[in-house]
Structures are given as structure tokens and as C-alpha cells.
């Protein structure tokens, strides 16, 4: 199998690398920022007076076929001054011209919103749909949560994406579970992208350049998850001068330093972030240690580091090194001490190579590790519980720019997975008694892909792709074809209608016995008994740009069918279980919905409104008597409102409003009491449950506001951000539990106890103040 794939692959690369079109000449190169020399993605490049053009890829590279002996090429990007260059054929060598272009930032009274990816006109040109792009500049204009800007939280403001509520980690996209989202940080997989149980993400805003989320119409280079891909790109650092930036907040602070390695050839960036709330909680615990009614506040903090370096070896070769390390630490002490630690480590090395003006390659080698550990130590007894997943991966992606009407993308990948499943070690502190449990597993994930985007008759554009994925566990080999198709029809210059179909396969599964996703959940590989999860999704809808792209209207309908969905039996145990697979049940799911989107662009006022109306179902023969039910994170209605307004040159205001239907939960509708022959009630009371997830909690809603005052220092820039989270102090539900109280009724035949449902909430109104700087 491996030999066959490799032989086909190398033959295919050879044909493409050698093939050349008959053309006048080809211009290719990189587009960079003038101040930092960072490569710019999504720059629009057009031959003036024609419809022939292209955009730079995610590494800033472009290739364009020139159909005549002399042309004028226009380079433009949102937030930058446009540039025109006159090109003639005699500048080329052997019909090839390598050109590096520098763009200058616009000098305006306020920073414009910069979107990673294409401008709105280019989005109409592209076949890509079901995509949300955001830059860190845009994220920083939205009210921060506890003073911290979070690019994932901003993505949750887009249609079709739900957070699952406060205290729930992960995001939920078009009916998919929290484990069905692929998080990438500079091409490397991250298995847990959350700090503080989902309140923050692991992406430091000073280290991030932008993110792109795909929720349908997936490009063929992405795979491994069913519902979404969140592709986060880090800053490369400044190649021209040293810079320092950061922020000081009430509970978090961060610091970032960037400098050239060799001016105009290489740079590096180092970013660090930490919370420091534990000194305050320890002080409160100390003050109240003699108060019997005081609940001990656990110690908690997180920290993370980002390091990235890049260097131009030659005009055709560029290398990158990215490192990430993040850790959460939770400690609870009351008669005994419980420590809970979890975190990610990622190391990534990439190589960009230009074979010729038409063929571009990016090859990445990376290691990704996620693990957690819970430990408890008593005078005579101790235990340790943990689990981890470690990936060793290599992938190569190629882009072949055949001509202005046709471009190809193709690549291959291989991943070696190492799983440690529910490792338990316990015993007496003197070592006389020891016991342990858990399993270590490994598997291999591999495959290749190809996609072709073809433009014809200026109105139709088609992107067809095929991904062939495989998974090897022991002697068991699983493989699946994953076809992809996206079509765009341009009805008018400002109206495009798009449709897409994509098939996705997921070979690793998140095993959870909670209603949401927790750091203690276990990743488990597919095998002969645990089939790969599969989904088939269709989507279609129009996009309309009005008033010179100042107003964008969008609508999409989607339908997704999912097979081999994994869940746990009622009452299942995932720890200290010799055969974890015996606790699994398998079923199917489906989701469909409508997404509406309106965005207003402008220098003074910018914002959007999104509304999602959706349905989400699961059906398991061994759960709920085989009757279909809504998963916990099903929300019928979801509304997001975002507005950013520049009051003066220095003062700006922003606000967000979020509304979502209540989560679906399972609650008892009553309880049975037993009585003896004398009619006297006695415990226990036996609950009678409603069908699974047939009860809805109260809706979730929240209003946030922020004011930003920009200072005018002699050098650099700085601002003071005042934000209020949950302005009207909405007590949003976290979970519901039942408590017993004494029955005060005078009915002699009634029980002496009654059961009352009580709601637990997490976050009240929270004001924050943060000082941000960059020099």
C-alpha cells in the first residue's frame, strides 16, 4: 500500500514540475510589508484593464501568467496603498521574472479593519464558501473578555458557530461535537486549544497574525475532522527593527519581543503570557480560614510561550521554526490536596521552496503533544491519573500555477500517533501496596490529495478535489476517499451564487462522559471495532456586495449527515477500564440550518449581525430506546451583534451582544418513594428521567462593551482599554442540580423531604482595565 502511494505520488510530482505552458512570460515572487518585511497573504494582483489576476497564498507567494509583451500590474490589499508596476517581456530571463513587491501601510486617522485573506471582491471571485476570516487587528477592536483579546471568541460571533455556553470548552460548528474541530497553529495540530476551561484560547493575541475557519466546502488539503478547520497563523517577526509590545491587565499580562536575525533576511518573535490571580485567592482563603461558611477558592493559573523564527536561505528557499508551550495548573486543598495540570507542546519546522515560477512547495515536520495529570496525596495513600496523545508528523503541500484560468494544489502527509489511555497509578505512600491500569496504543495516519480550480467564461469557476486518507492500527488498515466540489456562478459583478459538497473522515475520537468537553477527556484511535466517523455536507447560498463593498449580505443553507458517531453507554466508566471499547455505542447524526449574515464596513462604523436557525439530531440504538434526540449543544436560535465605532481620533467604542437558545439536558420529571407496610416513607428516592435531552435550560444572553483610549507617545503606540463583561449581570445557566429540603406541608401522607431544581451560574458582571503598548 505504502509503495503504491509513493510511486504514484513521485510520478505525479515529476510530471507537474516539468510541465510548462506556452506563454509569453511568467512573473512570480513574494509580497511583503514595508515596515516589518513580513509576507502578506491575500494580496490582490491584477493585470490592469483585464480580468486576469491572482492572490498571494498563505505564505505571500504569487505566480501570474502575462499574455502580452508589456502590461501594468496592480497590487492591492486592505489597509495598504495600492502599487502599480510596468512590466515588459525583455525584463524576463527565459520567460520568467522573479519579483518581490513591498506594500506601504495607509496613513489614516484610524486603522482600517484588515481581513486575513481576500478582499470582498476577491471573495466573490473565489469558489470558497462557508469560511470566516479574521485578523488580530479586528479582534482587538471587539470587547475583550477579562481584559484578554481572543481570536477564537471572535470567531464564535460568526454564523454557524456556537460556544456551548460558559464553562464549556471547545466550539460547536454546524451540529458537530467539540472533538470534530481541527485546530492548526502554523500547520501543526493542537488537541486542546483552551485555557481556563474554555474561557480563553491558547492563542496569544500578540503572537497571532490571523485565523481562518472553514465550516464547509473544505479545501482538499484539510482533513481529519468532520465539522471545521481553524487555521491560525503566527506573526513572523520584524526583519527591519526591534519591537516590543504587550499588555498589563487585572488578571493577565503578556510581553512580546521581535527583532531581525539578519536585516531583511530573517527575524524572530518571542511571546509570553501568564495569569496571576492566585495571590488574591490565597489571600482571601487566608483571611477566611476560620470562617466555617466560606468555600475555599482553588489555586489556578495558566501560562504559555510562543517562539518563531524565519530565515531566507536563498531567493527560492525559506525556513521557519515555531515552538509553543502552554500549561494550566489547578490546585485544591481542603484536608487533602488535589493537583490537576494539563497543557500542549508543539514544535514545528517548515521549509518553503520555489521550484520554478509555477511550482511552490511547503514542507512541515512537527511534533504535537497534549497531556493531563491529576494527582492526590494523603498521609497513607496517593494516586495519579493521566492521559496523553503525541503526534509525529510530516506533510508536503504543493501549488502549481498552470495559468490564470487553472491552478492545482496537491500534497501528502504522514502522522504517527502515540496514545496513553487513562493511565492510573495508586498505592500506599510507604510502597507496600501498588497497583495501576491503563493502555498504550499507537497508530499511523497517512494520505494524499489533489485539487484543481478552473475558471471559464468569467462567470463559472469550479474547484474539484479528492483526498485519499488511510489509518493503520496494528494489522488493521482503514482507507477512505474524500471527494470535494465547490462551484461559483457570478450572476453580476457584485452577486455570486455558490454551492459545495464535501466528505470528511475522522479517525481519532474524543471519549467524554460529561455533557461538554473537559481537559480529562480521552482521545482514542479507530480500529477494526471502532469505525472512523464520516460526514457528508452540502451547502449553497448567495453573497451580495452593495454600495462599493461597504455592505455585505450573505445567506447559506447547509445539510450534514454523520455516520459512526461515538458515544458512551449510560453509566459508562472511562477510567480504570480494561476494555474501554466495551463502553462505546455507535449511531448516526444529522444537522441542517440557515445562516444569515449582514456586515457594514467603514472607517467610522464597522460591524455585523449574524443569525443562525438550525436543528441537530443524534440517534443510537442503545440510547434513549433508539429514539432520535438533540445533543446538549443543539441551539435552535443563535444571534450575534457586533459594532465598532470611532468617536474621536483617540477614543473608540465597541459592543457585542450574544443570544442563544438554552442547551438541551436530561432531568428527572419526578421521583419514586418506597414505603413500608405501615405507610412510612424511607430512602432512597428513585428518579424517573425524561427522554434524553428533552428539557431546555434558560436561554443564554450577554452584552459586553469596551472603550479604548489611544495615547500619543513620542515613540510607538499605546492605549488603555476599559471593558465590561456581561453588562446587565445576566445569570446564565451553567448546570442544574437537585437539592433536598424539608417538606413544610401539613399533609401527613407526604414525604418529609422535597426535591428542588437549582441553577448554577458562573460569571456575573466583570469590569476590566488593560494597558496595551507597542514600541
Amino acid at each position: 500500500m505504502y509503495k503504491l502511494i509513493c510511486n504514484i505520488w513521485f510520478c505525479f510530482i515529476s510530471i507537474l514540475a516539468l510541465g510548462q505552458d506556452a506563454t509569453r512570460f511568467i512573473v512570480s515572487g513574494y509580497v511583503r510589508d514595508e515596515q516589518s518585511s513580513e509576507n502578506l497573504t491575500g494580496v490582490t494582483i491584477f493585470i490592469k484593464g483585464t480580468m486576469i489576476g491572482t492572490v498571494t497564498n498563505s505564505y505571500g507567494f504569487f505566480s501570474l501568467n502575462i499574455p502580452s509583451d508589456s502590461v501594468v500590474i496592480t497590487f492591492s490589499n486592505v489597509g495598504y496603498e495600492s502599487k502599480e508596476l510596468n512590466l515588459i517581456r525583455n525584463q524576463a530571463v527565459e520567460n520568467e521574472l522573479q519579483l518581490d513587491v513591498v506594500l506601504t501601510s495607509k496613513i489614516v486617522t484610524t486603522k482600517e479593519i484588515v481581513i486575513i485573506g481576500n478582499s470582498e471582491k476577491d471573495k466573490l471571485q473565489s469558489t470558497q464558501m462557508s469560511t470566516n476570516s479574521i485578523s488580530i487587528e479586528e479582534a482587538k477592536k471587539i470587547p475583550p473578555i477579562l481584559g484578554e483579546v481572543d481570536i477564537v471568541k471572535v470567531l464564535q460571533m460568526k454564523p454557524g458557530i456556537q460556544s456551548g455556553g460558559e464553562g464549556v470548552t471547545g466550539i460547536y460548528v454546524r451540529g458537530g461535537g467539540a472533538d470534530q474541530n481541527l485546530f492548526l497553529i502554523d500547520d501543526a495540530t493542537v488537541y486542546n486549544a483552551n485555557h481556563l476551561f474554555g474561557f480563553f484560547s491558547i492563542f496569544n493575541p500578540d503572537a497571532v497574525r490571523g485565523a481562518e475557519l472553514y465550516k464547509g466546502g473544505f479545501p482538499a488539503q484539510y482533513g481529519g475532522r468532520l465539522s471545521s478547520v481553524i487555521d491560525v497563523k503566527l506573526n513572523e517577526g520584524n526583519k527591519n527593527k526591534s519591537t516590543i509590545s504587550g499588555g498589563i491587565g487585572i488578571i493577565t499580562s503578556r510581553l512580546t519581543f521581535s527583532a531581525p536575525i539578519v536585516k531583511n533576511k530573517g527575524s524572530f518573535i518571542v511571546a509570553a503570557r501568564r495569569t496571576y490571580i492566585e495571590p488574591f485567592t490565597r489571600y482571601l482563603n487566608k483571611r477566611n480560614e476560620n470562617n466555617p461558611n466560606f468555600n475555599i477558592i482553588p489555586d489556578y493559573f495558566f501560562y504559555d510561550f510562543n517562539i518563531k523564527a524565519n530565515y531566507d536561505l536563498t531567493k527560492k528557499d525559506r525556513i521557519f521554526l515555531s515552538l509553543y508551550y502552554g500549561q494550566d495548573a489547578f490546585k485544591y486543598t481542603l484536608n487533602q490536596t488535589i493537583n490537576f495540570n494539563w497543557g500542549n507542546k508543539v514544535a514545528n519546522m517548515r521549509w518553503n521552496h520555489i521550484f520554478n515560477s509555477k511550482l511552490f512547495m511547503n514542507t512541515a515536520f512537527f511534533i504535537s503533544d497534549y497531556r493531563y495529570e491529576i494527582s492526590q496525596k494523603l498521609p497513607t495513600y496517593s494516586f495519579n491519573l493521566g492521559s496523553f496523545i503525541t503526534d509525529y508528523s510530516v506533510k508536503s503541500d504543493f501549488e502549481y500555477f498552470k495559468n490564470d484560468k487553472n491552478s492545482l494544489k496537491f500534497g501528502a502527509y504522514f502522522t504517527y500517533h502515540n496514545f496513553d489511555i487513562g493511565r492510573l497509578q495508586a498505592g500506599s505512600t510507604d510502597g507496600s501496596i501498588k497497583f495501576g491500569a491503563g493502555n498504550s496504543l499507537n497508530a499511523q495516519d497517512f494520505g494524499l490529495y489533489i485539487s484543481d480550480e478552473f475558471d471559464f467564461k468569467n462567470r463559472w469557476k469550479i474547484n474539484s478535489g479528492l483526498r485519499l486518507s488511510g489509518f493503520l492500527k496494528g494489522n488493521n488498515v482503514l482507507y477512505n476517499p474524500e471527494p470535494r466540489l465547490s462551484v461559483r456562478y457570478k450572476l453580476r459583478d457584485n452577486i455570486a451564487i455558490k454551492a459545495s459538497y464535501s466528505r470528511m473522515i475522522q479517525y481519532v475520537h474524543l471519549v467524554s462522559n460529561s455533557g461538554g468537553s473537559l481537559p480529562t477527556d480521552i482521545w482514542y484511535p479507530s480500529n477494526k471495532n471502532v469505525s472512523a466517523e464520516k460526514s457528508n455536507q452540502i451547502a449553497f447560498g448567495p453573497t451580495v456586495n452593495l454600495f462599493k463593498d461597504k455592505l455585505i449580505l450573505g445567506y447559506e443553507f447547509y445539510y450534514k449527515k454523520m455516520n459512526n458517531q461515538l458515544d458512551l453507554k449510560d453509566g459508562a466508566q472511562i477510567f480504570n477500564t480494561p476494555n474501554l471499547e466495551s463502553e462505546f455505542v455507535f449511531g448516526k447524526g444529522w444537522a441542517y440550518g440557515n445562516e444569515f449574515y449582514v456586515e457594514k464596513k467603514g472607517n467610522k462604523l464597522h460591524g455585523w449581525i449574524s443569525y443562525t436557525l438550525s436543528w441537530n439530531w443524534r440517534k443510537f440504538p442503545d440510547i434513549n430506546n433508539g429514539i432520535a434526540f438533540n445533543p446538549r449543544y443543539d441551539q435552535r436560535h443563535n444571534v450575534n451583534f457586533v459594532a465598532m465605532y470611532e468617536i474621536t481620533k483617540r477614543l473608540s467604542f465597541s459592543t457585542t451582544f450574544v443570544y442563544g437558545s438554552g442547551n438541551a439536558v436530561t432531568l428527572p420529571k419526578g421521583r419514586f418513594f418506597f414505603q413500608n407496610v405501615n405507610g412510612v416513607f424511607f430512602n432512597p428516592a428513585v428518579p424517573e428521567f425524561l427522554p434524553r435531552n428533552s428539557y431546555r435550560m434558560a436561554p443564554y444572553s450577554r452584552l459586553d462593551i469596551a472603550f479604548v483610549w489611544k495615547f500619543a507617545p513620542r515613540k510607538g503606540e499605546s492605549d488603555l482599554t476599559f471593558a465590561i463583561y456581561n453588562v446587565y449581570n445576566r445569570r446564565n445557566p451553567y448546570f442544574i442540580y437537585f437539592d433536598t429540603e424539608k417538606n413544610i406541608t401539613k399533609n401527613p401522607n407526604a414525604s418529609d423531604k422535597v426535591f428542588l431544581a437549582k441553577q448554577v451560574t458562573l460569571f456575573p458582571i466583570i469590569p476590566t482595565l488593560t494597558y496595551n503598548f507597542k514600541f
Side-chain angles (χ1 to χ4, degrees), residues 195-296:
H195 285 309
L196 191 54
F197 301 97
F199 208 69
F200 296 122
S201 78
I202 66 170
F203 305 113
N204 185 334
D206 289 341
V208 170
R209 183 173 58 182
E212 194 147 7
L213 183 145
Y214 302 87
K215 55 190 176 182
F218 299 95
Q221 64 264 35
Y222 296 115
R225 300 293 187 273
L226 298 191
S227 293
S228 76
V229 177
I230 300 92
D231 193 353
V232 177
K233 300 298 184 183
L234 300 179
N235 285 323
E236 297 178 359
N238 197 311
K239 291 183 178 180
N240 297 327
K241 62 180 182 179
S242 299
T243 62
I244 185 169
S245 63
I248 302 173
I250 295 176
I251 66 169
T252 62
S253 288
R254 61 190 190 277
L255 186 66
T256 301
F257 178 72
S258 174
I261 298 174
V262 176
K263 193 171 182 179
N264 294 323
K265 288 185 67 68
S267 61
F268 72 91
I269 182 171
V270 179
R273 178 175 57 161
R274 194 191 192 280
T275 60
Y276 39 79
I277 196 172
E278 69 274 13
F280 303 102
T281 60
R282 290 173 186 172
Y283 172 76
L284 291 174
N285 290 337
K286 185 69 175 178
R287 286 288 304 270
N288 292 275
E289 60 183 356
N290 296 320
N291 183 357
N293 297 320
F294 180 76
N295 294 320
I296 297 295

Side-chain angles (χ1 to χ4, degrees), residues 606-624:
H606 177 82
W608 67 82
I609 300 174
S610 71
Y611 170 62
T612 304
L613 173 64
S614 61
W615 291 261
N616 189 10
W617 299 91
R618 294 292 185 275
K619 187 174 183 180
F620 295 83
D622 300 316
I623 296 178
N624 204 42

Side-chain angles (χ1 to χ4, degrees), residues 146 166-167 196 199 725-726 729-732 761-766:
L146 295 184
E166 290 175 341
L196 191 54
F199 208 69
Y725 175 87
N726 196 5
N729 200 28
R730 165 78 174 178
R731 308 301 285 179
N732 287 300
T761 61
L762 288 183
F763 304 113
I765 180 172
I766 304 175

Side-chain angles (χ1 to χ4, degrees), residues 169 192 197 340 342 370 372 517-522:
T169 64
N192 189 327
F197 301 97
F340 181 18
W342 69 95
Y370 169 70
Y372 71 83
S517 173
L518 294 175
T520 54
D521 295 338
I522 294 173

